[in-house]
Amino acid sequence: MADHDLALRQDVPSSARVVNKLLGGKDNYEIDGLVAATAGRKFVASLREARRFLLRAVKVLSTEHGVRQYVDLGCGLPLSPDVGDAAAHRGETGRVLYLDHDIMVAAHARALLEHAPDRRFALVDITDTTAVFDYIGGFLDLGQSLAICLSGTAELLPDAPGVLAKLTTGLPPGTWIILSHITDDVLGEDIRGTAAQLESHSITYRPRDRTTVSNMLAPYRLLRPGLVAPHQWRPENGNRVYRGLRPVELELSAYAAVGHLPG
């Protein structure tokens, strides 16, 4: 991830802005677009489908399991629809805590959430799990179901398995997880080539294999269909929010799952 002092420089790309560009956002600079243009087609397709999976999974938890509280770990620059939009159900808004360490993300998020009492942003390094727990406890009701979302972020963390393990240990039984992760198990040349391009611009990107991702999810009981490619996770649960999306690729270099922490 980019350092704080680089986050606003227009001559240096940042992970948040590059991802924003790849997902079709407009909160990025020319340098971020140049870096994004080097990404392989399959990488881009996998990243975008992982985003759609995230929104679909939130919708499923909101409508089928009554989950009203979400923590978006490494939320990135705002994109519509987002976790809070997907969590809305029958006129009720979901309570969402957005966490990120990028100061440009913070500026955008705070402006957008100024008049949204059920949504809050906190500037924090999500690898600092003690601070993450403090923010969660200060905003959400730990006596009610909540879901943590780690989608589009784990690849940027040096030790994502360790961070998730610490979070899992401190979360109450009944917590849900929504996780997606880019892999080089599938179409590895495309993925490794893109990771190398990002690395050349000081953005370290870490695809992980199925065994590693499975181990990250080991404490959780996975909803059907288990650990699959993002576009294979409950595609029937798409709704009007997702109209106009192009047909998904048959092969994607990513894994996705939703799990429940047993009591």
Side-chain angles (χ1 to χ4, degrees):
M1 290 184 175
D3 292 330
H4 283 200
D5 58 348
L6 299 179
L8 299 178
R9 287 184 55 179
Q10 297 190 27
D11 60 332
V12 178
S14 80
S15 58
R17 298 195 311 263
V18 171
V19 170
N20 178 264
K21 178 66 175 181
L22 289 170
L23 292 176
K26 300 183 183 303
D27 295 319
N28 47 77
Y29 300 140
E30 181 179 2
I31 184 62
D32 306 301
L34 294 174
V35 175
T38 68
R41 186 172 64 90
K42 295 292 186 178
F43 177 89
V44 177
S46 299
L47 193 70
R48 291 181 176 180
E49 286 303 323
R51 173 73 179 184
R52 292 166 188 160
F53 151 77
L54 167 65
L55 300 177
R56 204 161 58 247
V58 170
K59 180 66 68 175
V60 167
L61 291 187
S62 297
T63 59
E64 298 182 13
H65 298 276
V67 180
R68 311 301 307 144
Q69 303 185 113
Y70 296 85
V71 183
D72 193 355
L73 296 166
C75 59
L77 286 158
L79 284 167
S80 182
D82 71 354
V83 169
D85 299 322
H89 179 53
R90 294 183 178 179
E92 296 183 13
T93 58
R95 199 164 178 81
V96 184
L97 176 62
Y98 301 89
L99 303 178
D100 206 292
H101 86 310
D102 188 298
I103 60 173
M104 183 172 178
V105 171
H108 282 261
R110 286 170 175 161
L112 287 173
L113 302 180
E114 184 178 2
H115 302 294
D118 289 327
R119 305 186 191 187
R120 181 178 296 178
F121 175 85
L123 183 66
V124 62
D125 183 342
I126 64 171
T127 65
D128 183 354
T129 54
T130 299
V132 170
F133 286 132
D134 286 343
Y135 282 114
I136 291 175
F139 184 60
L140 302 180
D141 181 354
L142 296 181
Q144 301 294 323
S145 294
L146 65 92
I148 58 171
C149 307
L150 190 60
S151 183
T153 302
E155 301 90 342
L156 297 166
L157 303 179
D159 184 21
V163 171
L164 182 55
K166 289 180 181 179
L167 289 172
T168 299
T169 299
L171 291 167
T175 295
W176 295 86
I177 185 170
I178 299 172
L179 174 71
S180 72
H181 205 299
I182 298 294
T183 183
D184 57 3
D185 287 347
V186 182
L187 305 166
E189 184 175 348
D190 182 291
I191 303 305
R192 288 188 290 272
T194 298
Q197 286 289 340
L198 293 172
E199 182 69 47
S200 72
H201 294 281
S202 301
I203 300 174
T204 302
Y205 199 87
R206 304 167 182 85
R208 294 183 171 97
D209 61 20
R210 184 181 182 89
T211 298
T212 302
V213 178
S214 294
N215 288 340
M216 291 170 68
L217 292 164
Y220 297 85
R221 294 174 180 166
L222 302 188
L223 289 185
R224 66 168 180 83
L227 183 63
V228 295
H231 65 305
Q232 295 172 337
W233 197 92
R234 308 274 187 102
E236 71 277 9
N237 287 100
N239 59 29
R240 64 182 179 84
V241 175
Y242 314 111
R243 286 183 301 182
L245 299 181
R246 291 176 293 178
V248 299
E249 303 274 347
L250 293 179
E251 291 185 293
L252 290 178
S253 301
Y255 296 119
V258 176
H260 189 236
L261 192 62

